[in-house]
Amino acid sequence: MENSKEVYEKALELYNSKNYIEAVQLWKSVEEESNSEVLYMLGICYNYNLGVNEEDEEKRGIIASQYFLKAAELGNKDAQCFAGLCFLHGIGVNKDISKAVCWFEKSAEQNCTQAMNNLGLMYYECKFDINEEESLKTSLEWFKKSAKLNDSTGLLYVGGAYYNGVGVEEDKKMAVKYYKMAADQGLTEAIFRLGECYEDGEGVEQNEIEAFKLYKTAAQKNHPKAQCYVGFCYENGVGVPYNMLDAVRWYQISAQNNYFQAYCNLGCCFEEGRGVKRNMANAIAMYNKAVELGSVHAMYNLGNVYAFGKGVKTDYAKAIEYYRMAAQNGLREAQYNLAQHLYKGEGIKKNEEEAAYWFLQSAKGGDADAQYKIATFYMDGIGVDEDLQKAHYWFMQSAVQGDADSQYSLGVCYEEGLGVNVDLDEAKDWYSRASAQGHRGAKKALKKI
C-alpha cells in the first residue's frame, strides 16, 4: 500500500499537468495521515477553486483556511504563510493582525521570503501601534532579509525604499542596483522601474535608448503602464524613431489592459488626428473611459471639450464639473481654468473668493499664469485681503518663469515701492526683461524711468 508521501508525489504530477480533480481525490484519500504537504496543497486547491466541488466562495475560504492551519501547525512554512494571509484578510477565519504576524514570523524563520515580504508590507502600511519612522525602518529590515535570499520581490521593495527614501536615506544608485538584480530575475515591475531610471538619469547615466528597450521588454511581459510608456516613446521619439502608428497600437494594447492614461492618450490622438483619423466622438469616449478609471488629465481634457465646444455644444456647466474634478485632484491647469470661470461667472455664479482660492492652489503648483493672477488679486484686494508683499512674492514667482506681465508688474513694484523698498535699478532690470518680450507697457516705462 502506498504511503502518503508517494500519493502526494503522484497527485502533484497530476496537479502540475492540470488534472486537478484527480489530484484532489488522491490527496483527500490520505489527508487523515496528517502529511503537511498534502494538507497544504488541499488548501491551495480550495483557495483557488481547482478541482474541488464547492461553488460557494465563502465556504471554500473556510475549508482552505482549515487545511492551511492544520499544515501550518505541522510546521509547513508555505502553509504558515497562507495561514497568516487568512488572518490578515479574514479569509475563513476572523481577521486578526496579531495572529497574522505570528504565522508570518514562523514562516519567515524558515526562510519563506513571501512571509518576509508580507511582514515588510504590513510595516510599510503602518498597521501597528508604533510611530511611522520605526514602522518604515522595520519594513525595510524585512524586505532586506528577503532580498538577502535573492528574492526578486524583496529586491524590488528594497530598491523602492532607496529610490523614495522610505526608511532609509534616499540613494538612487542603490535603488538602481537593487532594481537591476530584480530585473535580472525577470521581474516585470523591476524592469519597468529600471527603464524609468534610465529615462530620467536617476542613479544611472541617462540613456533613452536603454530606457525604451526596458519599457518594451516590460510591455511584452504585459505590464500595462510600460505598454503606455512604449506608446509615449513612439509618439515623442524617446529612444526610438517617431512613429504614431506604433504609438497608437501600444496605447490600444495598454488600454485593453485598462490602464487609465492609455485611454487618455488615445483620446488625444483622436482629438488631434495623430496616428488615427480625427474623430471627436471617439476622443470623448476614450476620455470618459479614462475618467472612469481615475485619469485626472482626462477630466481636464473633457472640461476643455465642453468649454470650447469640441465636437459638442458648448456647455460651461459640464466644463466646470470636469475642471472641478481635476482641480480637486491637484491638476494646476484645471485649478486655473476653474478659477477663471468663477472669476468671470461663466457657467457658474461669480465668486471672487473661491476664484482666489483656486488661483492660489494653481500658483502653489507652479503655474505662472495663476501666479500672476493671484498676485493681481493680492495687489487689488480681489477675493482676498489686500497684501502688497504677497503680491510682490507671486509676481516674482511668475516673473522668474518668464511671464512678461509679471516682469512688468515687478518693475512697477520696485519703481513705486509696492510691497518692497523702492529700487530703480531692479525696476529697470524687470522692465527690460518684459520689454525684450515685446511688452508695450514695459517699453514705455523704460523711457520714463
Side-chain angles (χ1 to χ4, degrees):
M1 183 176 178
E2 294 177 310
N3 60 35
S4 63
K5 183 172 176 57
E6 292 171 332
V7 172
Y8 167 77
E9 296 293 347
K10 277 189 177 181
L12 188 60
E13 288 181 13
L14 291 167
Y15 178 90
N16 289 334
S17 60
K18 298 186 179 180
N19 293 312
Y20 301 124
I21 294 175
E22 295 174 54
V24 169
Q25 289 173 343
L26 269 180
W27 280 325
K28 281 196 169 186
S29 71
V30 293
E31 68 174 288
E32 295 302 324
E33 296 183 31
S34 297
N35 181 308
S36 70
E37 291 176 314
V38 168
L39 296 170
Y40 168 68
M41 287 307 300
L42 283 170
I44 289 292
C45 289
Y46 274 97
N47 188 63
Y48 295 109
N49 195 22
L50 301 172
V52 298
N53 186 26
E54 180 52 71
E55 295 299 321
D56 188 279
E57 185 177 352
E58 187 175 347
K59 288 182 180 178
R60 282 202 314 274
I62 293 171
I63 297 169
S65 68
Q66 290 172 344
Y67 279 122
F68 288 141
L69 283 168
K70 286 178 184 177
E73 287 163 359
L74 291 169
N76 186 292
K77 68 178 182 179
D78 295 318
Q80 289 169 340
C81 185
F82 269 90
L85 289 169
C86 289
F87 281 111
L88 178 62
H89 300 294
I91 300 171
V93 294
N94 292 327
K95 191 172 181 178
D96 190 320
I97 298 295
S98 62
K99 287 184 179 179
V101 170
C102 179
W103 283 117
F104 285 145
E105 287 180 344
K106 286 180 182 292
S107 181
E109 285 171 7
Q110 298 191 67
N111 285 343
C112 176
T113 55
Q114 184 180 348
M116 295 172 185
N117 293 333
N118 289 341
L119 284 166
L121 284 170
M122 290 178 75
Y123 279 101
Y124 180 80
E125 294 167 358
C126 301
K127 291 185 176 290
F128 307 100
D129 189 22
I130 56 177
N131 66 63
E132 184 178 359
E133 184 179 355
E134 184 181 348
S135 189
L136 293 176
K137 283 184 178 179
T138 305
S139 168
L140 183 57
E141 287 171 8
W142 279 112
F143 288 138
K144 280 187 172 181
K145 287 180 180 180
S146 173
K148 197 170 183 179
L149 293 170
N150 206 32
D151 179 86
S152 60
T153 301
L155 291 165
L156 175 71
Y157 280 121
V158 173
Y162 277 111
Y163 185 89
N164 296 301
V166 177
V168 68
E169 188 175 342
E170 182 183 303
D171 188 332
K172 303 293 189 188
K173 287 185 178 180
M174 284 293 286
V176 167
K177 173 187 173 183
Y178 279 97
Y179 285 158
K180 279 184 175 178
M181 288 191 284
D184 286 343
Q185 293 188 45
L187 190 65
T188 308
E189 179 64 21
I191 295 168
F192 169 73
R193 291 193 194 180
L194 194 56
E196 288 188 304
C197 291
Y198 273 103
E199 183 180 0
D200 299 331
E202 294 184 318
V204 68
E205 187 176 345
Q206 187 177 30
N207 187 328
E208 291 182 346
I209 294 174
E210 184 63 22
F212 174 76
K213 288 179 182 176
L214 289 162
Y215 289 149
K216 194 164 186 181
T217 299
Q220 290 168 334
K221 288 174 170 283
N222 211 33
H223 190 292
K225 192 172 182 179
Q227 291 164 343
C228 186
Y229 274 42
V230 169
F232 178 86
C233 288
Y234 276 117
E235 181 176 1
N236 295 280
V238 177
V240 66
Y242 167 86
N243 188 322
M244 276 308 304
L245 293 179
D246 279 340
V248 169
R249 181 170 65 86
W250 278 105
Y251 287 149
Q252 288 172 333
I253 293 170
S254 179
Q256 287 166 7
N257 283 314
N258 265 358
Y259 183 58
F260 67 92
Q261 191 58 42
Y263 278 109
C264 185
N265 291 0
L266 279 172
C268 293
C269 291
F270 279 113
E271 180 177 345
E272 298 168 17
R274 289 183 289 109
V276 290
K277 187 176 180 180
R278 188 177 184 276
N279 186 318
M280 279 307 301
N282 283 352
I284 292 169
M286 293 296 105
Y287 289 148
N288 276 315
K289 182 63 178 177
V291 168
E292 286 176 20
L293 295 170
S295 171
V296 179
H297 283 93
M299 297 170 192
Y300 172 70
N301 289 349
L302 276 176
N304 287 338
V305 164
Y306 288 105
F308 300 106
K310 298 180 179 182
V312 294
K313 187 177 179 180
T314 298
D315 188 332
Y316 287 141
K318 273 194 174 182
I320 290 165
E321 177 187 343
Y322 285 110
Y323 284 150
R324 190 177 293 279
M325 288 169 64
Q328 290 170 340
N329 280 282
L331 191 67
R332 68 186 191 186
E333 295 92 336
Q335 292 168 340
Y336 177 82
N337 284 8
L338 175 59
Q340 286 282 56
H341 279 276
L342 286 161
Y343 179 53
K344 295 176 181 178
E346 289 181 332
I348 193 170
K349 186 178 179 181
K350 184 179 176 73
N351 188 325
E352 292 180 347
E353 289 79 10
E354 192 180 356
Y357 171 80
W358 286 114
F359 278 135
L360 183 57
Q361 300 312 304
S362 182
K364 288 177 179 177
D367 187 279
D369 290 332
Q371 290 166 345
Y372 169 73
K373 204 74 177 181
I374 194 62
T376 64
F377 274 36
Y378 278 118
M379 181 67 73
D380 299 325
I382 301 171
V384 292
D385 293 333
E386 182 181 305
D387 191 323
L388 299 184
Q389 288 183 332
K390 286 183 179 179
H392 171 266
Y393 172 81
W394 285 114
F395 280 139
M396 180 66 77
Q397 300 307 305
S398 179
V400 295
Q401 292 195 66
D403 184 83
D405 288 327
S406 291
Q407 290 170 345
Y408 167 71
S409 297
L410 265 184
V412 174
C413 288
Y414 281 108
E415 183 179 2
E416 300 180 11
L418 302 175
V420 67
N421 293 329
V422 171
D423 189 328
L424 296 183
D425 288 335
E426 278 289 314
K428 287 179 182 178
D429 179 48
W430 288 109
Y431 284 147
S432 294
R433 297 191 196 193
S435 177
Q437 296 193 65
H439 194 286
R440 292 183 179 180
K443 289 180 180 179
K444 289 180 180 179
L446 274 175
K447 292 177 181 178
K448 295 178 182 178
I449 196 168

